[in-house]
Amino acid sequence: MRLAMHLSFAIEKKELLSETIGRVRKAFLDAGLDEPAIRFTFVDSAMKKGAPIDRALKRHPEMERFLTFRPLMLGTSELRMLSNSSSGDPAEFSTLQAITSGVPRTYAFLGVWMHFHASVFGEKLIGLPKMGDSLPGVIVTDNKWVTGRKRALSVYTTVEVDESTQEPPPNPPAVDAVIKAFGKARRIEQVPISVSKGGTLPAVPPETLQALQAIVADYRARMKEIVERAGLPHDLPPAADLRVQNPGVVAGPRKAALESTFKPMGYSCKGGSGEFHLTRRTSGNLAIELYLDVGTWSHSVTAIFHVRGMAFKGSLTIPVAPRDFSAQYPIGDAAQWQRIVENLAAMVRELDRSFVPEIEHAAGPSPAWYQPAP
C-alpha cells in the first residue's frame, strides 16, 4: 500500500511570497538536491487592460509562452493564466521571484500556485494537487480570499507501507531535510492508496464503504430511539425557548467541565477557542472523536461524533436535549453548560456501546501507524 502524507506548515504573515518561495528553493539546495523543478500557475481575475498578467508580461515578455486559457476544475469556466503545470517547461527562478515579489500590490492575481519537485520525492500519483501535476513535493499557494490574501505552505510525500507495521517507513534523508527546514508541521494528513498496475484504488473496498454508509444512515434515521436509550440525565428545554431567555448570559470557561466528565471515559480534550476535540483510540486503532463547536458563530453548541479509520469516516450529529434535535443549542450559563456536557456524555456512552462496535466490525482494524488529521 502507498501512503501519501500531507504536511501543513505555518507562514509568517509579514513574509513576502517571494521570500517564501526563496526559502523553499534554499531548503532543496541545502538538502544536497539539484535545482528543484518548479511548476507554477498565476491566475488572472479578469480579461481587461491593466490586469495582473498584462503588467507581468510587460515587465517579463519572456513569460508570454506560458499564457493559456483553461478551467481550474472540470465544469468551470476558462480563466486566463500563466502556467507550466501541464508541460513542466522551466522558467528562470529569478523571473518567478521577481513576479512573486509584486504579489499582491503590483500583481493582484486571483491565485498563485508554486510546486517544487525533485525525483527523491517520488513519481506522479493521482490524487495529489492538480497544480503540481499529481507529483509529490512542496506546494506554496497564495489566493485572494474574502478576508484578504490566504497563503499556505504544504509538503506532500509518498512511501510504501505495510499494514502490519507499527510505523510507516521513513522518508529519504533529503526529503526529511527539506521538511525540517520548515519547522514543525501544524497538521498532518494521511491518505492511504492501493496501487494496482499503475492505477490507484481506494484503500477501503467499495463493499466495505457501502456497509459503513448503511450503518451511519441507520443510526441517523433512528436518532430518537438512540437518545431514549442513552437516558439523558437532564430534560433540557427546546432551543427556541432558550434563545429568548437571557441572550447575553455566557458560560465562561468550558474546558474544565469537559475534562472532568470525559476523562474517566478515556477521552482526552484539546481546544478552547471556539471548538473542542475529545478523542480516544480503540483497540482496533480507530480514532473516536466528539467534535464540539461552541462559539465559532454564536454562543451555541454543535456536537458531531466521528469514528475515523484508515480511509473512511462515519459521522453523526448528536442532540444535547432529549426533545430538541436542533443542530445548534444555546449554551447559556455555567450551570446550563454542565448539564449539556452531562447529556453529551450520556450520548457518547451509548454510541461507544453500539455505534462504534458496529463500525469497527464492518471496517475491521486500522493499522497501528494510522493517525487521523487533527
Side-chain angles (χ1 to χ4, degrees):
M1 176 180 293
R2 186 167 296 170
L3 181 66
M5 303 282 285
H6 173 199
L7 297 85
S8 301
F9 295 87
I11 300 178
E12 292 289 338
K13 291 183 178 180
K14 294 183 179 180
E15 185 177 61
L16 298 176
L17 179 58
S18 59
E19 294 172 340
T20 302
I21 69 167
R23 187 157 56 91
V24 173
R25 175 177 176 265
K26 184 176 185 298
F28 276 73
L29 300 180
D30 289 348
L33 300 172
D34 294 332
E35 282 283 348
I38 302 176
R39 284 177 164 81
F40 59 86
T41 299
F42 300 97
V43 179
D44 219 337
S45 57
M47 282 281 295
K48 61 184 180 180
K49 187 176 181 180
I53 284 181
D54 294 318
R55 290 194 292 273
L57 291 178
K58 186 176 181 179
R59 296 187 185 184
H60 307 281
E62 68 274 19
M63 296 291 286
E64 182 81 35
R65 62 195 175 102
F66 299 113
L67 182 62
T68 184
F69 296 85
R70 69 166 186 263
L72 288 177
M73 296 181 292
L74 290 175
T76 62
S77 58
E78 289 188 339
L79 293 172
R80 188 174 182 233
M81 62 183 73
L82 297 174
S83 179
N84 73 340
S85 66
S86 297
S87 68
D89 292 341
E92 290 291 335
F93 181 76
S94 58
T95 301
L96 296 176
Q97 198 160 35
I99 293 174
T100 55
S101 67
V103 176
R105 291 189 176 182
T106 304
Y107 309 120
F109 295 110
L110 186 67
V112 177
W113 290 266
M114 304 285 289
H115 174 273
F116 298 74
H117 175 72
S119 59
V120 69
F121 276 83
E123 76 277 13
K124 183 173 181 175
L125 181 64
I126 296 171
L128 292 175
K130 178 181 177 182
M131 292 304 170
D133 197 30
S134 297
L135 288 164
V138 181
I139 299 276
V140 177
T141 62
D142 186 280
N143 299 318
K144 187 177 180 181
W145 196 244
V146 291
T147 56
R149 305 296 297 190
K150 189 175 182 181
R151 178 114 28 106
L153 169 61
S154 302
V155 177
Y156 294 83
T157 65
T158 61
V159 293
E160 295 294 333
V161 62
D162 189 329
E163 289 190 43
S164 64
T165 60
Q166 293 295 310
E167 296 181 0
N171 295 308
V175 172
D176 276 338
V178 171
I179 294 172
K180 187 177 179 181
F182 306 136
K184 184 179 179 180
R186 63 180 182 180
R187 182 181 175 89
I188 301 176
E189 296 178 75
Q190 295 178 338
V191 185
I193 302 174
S194 297
V195 181
S196 174
K197 298 180 180 180
T200 58
L201 301 169
V204 178
E207 58 271 19
T208 301
L209 289 177
Q210 291 174 0
L212 294 171
Q213 291 167 357
I215 294 171
V216 173
D218 174 59
Y219 272 75
R220 288 175 178 171
R222 295 190 298 111
M223 187 55 67
K224 183 178 179 180
E225 173 193 334
I226 294 161
V227 170
E228 291 174 353
R229 285 209 313 255
L232 306 190
H234 302 289
D235 187 15
L236 299 178
D241 294 349
L242 290 179
R243 290 193 179 99
V244 298
Q245 300 175 10
N246 302 321
V249 173
V250 295
R254 284 155 286 192
K255 191 171 185 177
L258 290 169
E259 288 182 326
S260 63
T261 302
F262 282 89
K263 188 175 181 180
M265 298 167 58
Y267 284 81
S268 63
C269 180
K270 293 183 179 179
S273 61
E275 60 183 40
F276 290 97
H277 301 265
L278 296 104
T279 59
R280 71 175 181 90
R281 199 173 179 92
T282 72
S283 59
N285 295 315
L286 300 191
I288 313 302
E289 177 191 7
L290 175 64
Y291 167 74
L292 301 177
D293 184 323
V294 295
T296 302
W297 297 104
S298 64
H299 191 59
S300 299
V301 58
T302 299
I304 305 176
F305 188 81
H306 299 293
V307 180
R308 305 178 196 268
M310 186 183 68
F312 75 86
K313 178 177 72 173
S315 300
L316 297 171
T317 300
I318 60 175
V320 301
R323 293 175 290 113
D324 190 320
F325 289 8
S326 301
Q328 291 186 324
Y329 192 87
I331 292 175
D333 60 15
Q336 176 79 344
W337 173 242
Q338 182 64 43
R339 289 189 287 268
I340 288 172
V341 170
E342 291 171 5
N343 276 8
L344 286 170
M347 286 295 301
V348 169
R349 288 190 193 95
E350 172 58 30
L351 294 175
D352 277 344
R353 185 194 67 79
S354 56
F355 182 64
V356 172
E358 283 194 43
I359 291 290
E360 197 160 30
H361 177 75
S366 286
W369 47 258
Y370 165 69
Q371 292 290 340

